[in-house]
Amino acid sequence: MNLTLKIWRQKDSNDTGKMVSYNVTDISDHMSFLEMLDVLNEQLVNSGDAPVAFDHDCREGICGMCSLQINGEAHGPDRGVTTCQLHMRMFKDGDTITIEPFRAKAFPVIKDLVVDRSAFDRIQQAGGYISVNTSGNTQDANSIPIPKADADEAMDAATCIGCGACVATCKNASAMLFVGAKVSQYALLPQGRVEAKERVMNMVNQMDKEGFGNCTNTGACEVECPKGISLTTIARMNREYLSASVTKD
Amino acid sequence: MSTGKGMTSVGRKVLMALSGFFLLIFLLQHSAINFLSVISPDMFNEVSHFMGTNPVVQFALQPVLAFGVFFHLIMGIVLEMQNRNARPIKYVDNRPGANASWMSRNMIITGIMVMLFLAIHFYDFWLPELNVKFIKGDMTGLNTEGQYRYYEELRHKFVDPIRVVLYVLSFVFLSLHLLHGFQSAFQSVGFNHNKYTPTIKKLGNIYAILIPFVFIFIAVYHFITKTA
């Protein structure tokens, strides 16, 4: 198929940036979206132009590196997939596709379609961990009985890959689905309960400090999340936060 | 809900939800009392007189209500400004309708429309009441013929078709606001449960349609019966 691509080009973080149109031809509908961008970049390099910078790593929907706002939707028009899992069969011959970086004050553009998502790392560092002695005397996790339903729910929350689609798609650029998932994956397990109060308060404070918006429960994040993280994780974070703020010294 | 460095985003949304819950309860009692004007003018007069002269209602509940409305408005505007600031560069191609309802995305618009209606409502009912009771000092609630004045005053307001149309439109905006606001308040205070949330959503839809409909019905009823 032949396509017209309208892509955000920005030399660096100081550049104002603009949309630039490109044509790509003979794109197979079996290609992934990133493979289609690879074809474009080969074309650009061969003609002496700078290739379009975009994030990617595993290309199998696990690492959370790929992003892209495609035709106004985070990770494109398909559901439950990352951009690397998005197939060109979702588009038609002759389509014009708009490709922009994830937009948020907390995700500044580094170059072209690459944004700095280290705000998520700092939120994780603020409380997304458990403090355990790893000197060799660590208790076997399986020795602590955990209800299957709780373990499953914690695992569901832990599937969040931190890609930032929730922030990109939220009209408020809120990070609450990400933080809700990270709070939930620990809050549901006994190992995580020990530091639960400090965790939720520290992570929420860091989230606010990074400049993310407030959640207004539109539910857009849940729809666009490639891992299907549920809004129930945000409700749990709210409960955890309320409980911690009332009971913490 | 704060850490000494100001209120957090979670704290703000919880307070927004709590003031919303309070206003949901207020709307329920207001619509019930107003509906009395359709089924029994005498009962409407009695209840109106009680609500308008009882010191607990006037000097304890009314200031709380005024604060609740004011807080909900100001917090809504503050949140909207913060949220707009969180994405200073907008998308060239944005398709918000692909993943969220119009109601959930436009709470600030429907909310401001409801607040504009409140300005008309205060001008129509609240200011004249303050004038009669606290400036003229007439707490009897009686007209010149020695009968309660509330029912006739209400009927008189809905003679004007422009006012009726404004009321109907305003309650359509209220309905749109509640279609998202009702269930959203539960989520904000952390109540999301597989067993109960579907029921809350259904209840919210019923409330969001029924309560504004009652207000619309009352306005239209008095307009039609007065001019018939």
Side-chain angles (χ1 to χ4, degrees):
Chain A
M1 63 178 96
N2 299 328
L3 301 163
T4 302
L5 306 175
K6 288 186 175 175
I7 302 180
W8 182 261
R9 299 302 309 259
Q10 184 174 335
K11 279 181 189 155
D12 54 42
S13 56
N14 298 319
D15 184 21
T16 49
K18 61 178 179 184
M19 297 298 286
V20 178
S21 289
Y22 300 99
N23 293 314
V24 283
T25 53
D26 295 331
I27 298 297
S28 160
D29 58 2
H30 297 300
M31 281 180 181
S32 77
F33 198 84
L34 296 187
E35 285 167 340
M36 183 276 292
L37 286 179
D38 290 339
V39 171
L40 170 70
N41 276 347
E42 276 179 34
Q43 200 175 293
L44 290 172
V45 169
N46 289 339
S47 61
D49 293 327
V52 176
F54 61 89
D55 265 328
H56 61 102
D57 192 7
C58 75
R59 296 206 177 199
E60 52 187 12
I62 297 169
C63 72
M65 275 304 285
C66 59
S67 52
L68 306 187
Q69 192 80 354
I70 302 161
N71 282 349
E73 288 187 72
H75 295 301
D78 208 355
R79 295 284 176 260
V81 296
T82 53
T83 297
C84 64
Q85 296 171 300
L86 178 68
H87 280 87
M88 292 313 295
R89 65 179 75 102
M90 292 297 294
F91 302 92
K92 295 193 303 289
D93 183 38
D95 273 0
T96 297
I97 304 173
T98 311
I99 309 167
E100 297 174 78
F102 281 177
R103 294 280 187 206
K105 187 179 171 186
F107 287 170
V109 173
I110 297 170
K111 187 180 181 183
D112 294 337
L113 303 171
V114 179
V115 296
D116 178 1
R117 285 171 281 181
S118 59
F120 272 12
D121 298 337
R122 292 187 288 275
I123 293 171
Q124 276 286 71
Q125 286 157 10
Y129 53 82
I130 56 168
S131 303
V132 279
N133 185 346
T134 53
S135 61
N137 299 319
T138 315
Q139 185 185 7
D140 189 320
N142 292 322
S143 65
I144 305 170
I146 298 168
K148 176 78 165 63
D150 289 354
D152 286 350
E153 218 176 331
M155 189 58 209
D156 286 346
T159 57
C160 167
I161 51 176
C163 64
C166 46
V167 174
T169 201
C170 174
K171 79 177 188 69
N172 311 320
S174 169
M176 286 207 186
L177 194 69
F178 168 75
V179 182
K182 296 303 165 194
V183 165
S184 291
Q185 75 185 55
Y186 296 110
L188 285 157
L189 301 175
Q191 295 92 334
R193 292 308 312 170
V194 181
E195 296 159 302
K197 289 180 187 176
E198 290 83 358
R199 174 180 305 111
V200 69
M201 298 198 84
N202 291 341
M203 291 181 84
V204 167
N205 281 329
Q206 188 62 38
M207 171 178 73
D208 289 353
K209 210 182 287 179
E210 298 292 346
F212 292 105
N214 302 284
C215 172
T216 50
N217 304 322
T218 66
C221 53
E222 184 184 55
V223 174
E224 296 292 346
C225 175
K227 298 297 160 185
I229 302 295
S230 163
L231 287 183
T232 56
T233 61
I234 300 182
R236 182 174 296 101
M237 176 185 68
N238 295 344
R239 287 200 300 276
E240 289 281 323
Y241 185 85
L242 266 176
S243 159
S245 63
V246 170
T247 58
K248 197 170 179 295
D249 294 334
Chain B
M1 284 176 282
S2 78
T3 53
K5 297 170 194 165
M7 190 173 291
T8 62
S9 52
V10 177
R12 284 191 291 270
K13 65 188 271 183
V14 167
L15 289 179
M16 195 67 184
L18 292 178
S19 58
F21 280 131
F22 173 71
L23 295 175
L24 286 174
I25 294 165
F26 163 72
L27 273 177
L28 194 63
Q29 69 89 19
H30 196 340
S31 62
I33 291 174
N34 282 20
F35 193 66
L36 289 176
S37 71
V38 173
I39 56 174
S40 168
D42 288 342
M43 272 172 74
F44 176 75
N45 273 329
E46 291 287 342
V47 176
S48 296
H49 186 65
F50 172 79
M51 296 298 282
T53 54
N54 183 281
V56 176
V57 175
Q58 286 295 300
F59 303 114
L61 297 182
Q62 197 160 263
V64 172
L65 172 64
F67 176 76
V69 172
F70 185 71
F71 180 85
H72 202 71
L73 167 68
I74 298 299
M75 189 59 103
I77 293 171
V78 168
L79 289 173
E80 179 67 18
M81 286 164 69
Q82 287 177 337
N83 293 341
R84 281 171 187 257
N85 190 39
R87 178 170 291 130
I89 301 171
K90 310 295 177 203
Y91 289 112
V92 173
D93 185 359
N94 193 22
R95 299 183 192 181
N99 45 42
S101 70
W102 187 92
M103 286 80 79
S104 70
R105 290 181 280 114
N106 292 284
M107 290 296 276
I108 190 70
I109 293 172
T110 53
I112 285 174
M113 295 309 283
V114 171
M115 287 295 163
L116 289 177
F117 161 75
L118 270 187
I120 303 171
H121 194 57
F122 280 180
Y123 176 77
D124 271 355
F125 291 99
W126 204 51
L127 291 180
E129 275 297 299
L130 289 181
N131 181 38
V132 171
K133 287 189 297 196
F134 301 112
I135 296 174
K136 291 182 180 169
D138 178 7
M139 300 293 280
T140 62
L142 302 174
N143 58 22
T144 50
E145 291 155 12
Q147 293 170 327
Y148 277 136
R149 58 186 166 79
Y150 308 103
Y151 180 71
E152 277 312 312
E153 282 178 1
L154 177 81
R155 302 246 326 153
H156 178 70
K157 294 291 179 196
F158 294 119
V159 169
D160 182 2
I162 296 170
R163 184 181 273 115
V164 174
V165 169
L166 277 177
Y167 267 65
V168 170
L169 280 177
S170 302
F171 283 106
V172 169
F173 280 114
L174 177 67
S175 179
L176 293 170
H177 198 73
L178 294 174
L179 278 168
H180 175 67
F182 189 101
Q183 52 98 8
S184 175
F186 283 88
Q187 166 78 5
S188 288
V189 295
F191 194 89
N192 187 330
H193 192 281
N194 290 339
K195 196 171 168 185
Y196 304 109
T197 298
T199 308
I200 287 170
K201 286 185 176 175
K202 279 180 199 155
L203 203 64
N205 289 343
I206 292 169
Y207 184 100
I209 292 165
L210 185 67
I211 298 296
F213 176 77
V214 167
F215 282 109
I216 289 172
F217 177 79
I218 293 163
V220 173
Y221 171 83
H222 288 299
F223 174 72
I224 291 171
T225 55
K226 189 76 177 178
T227 53

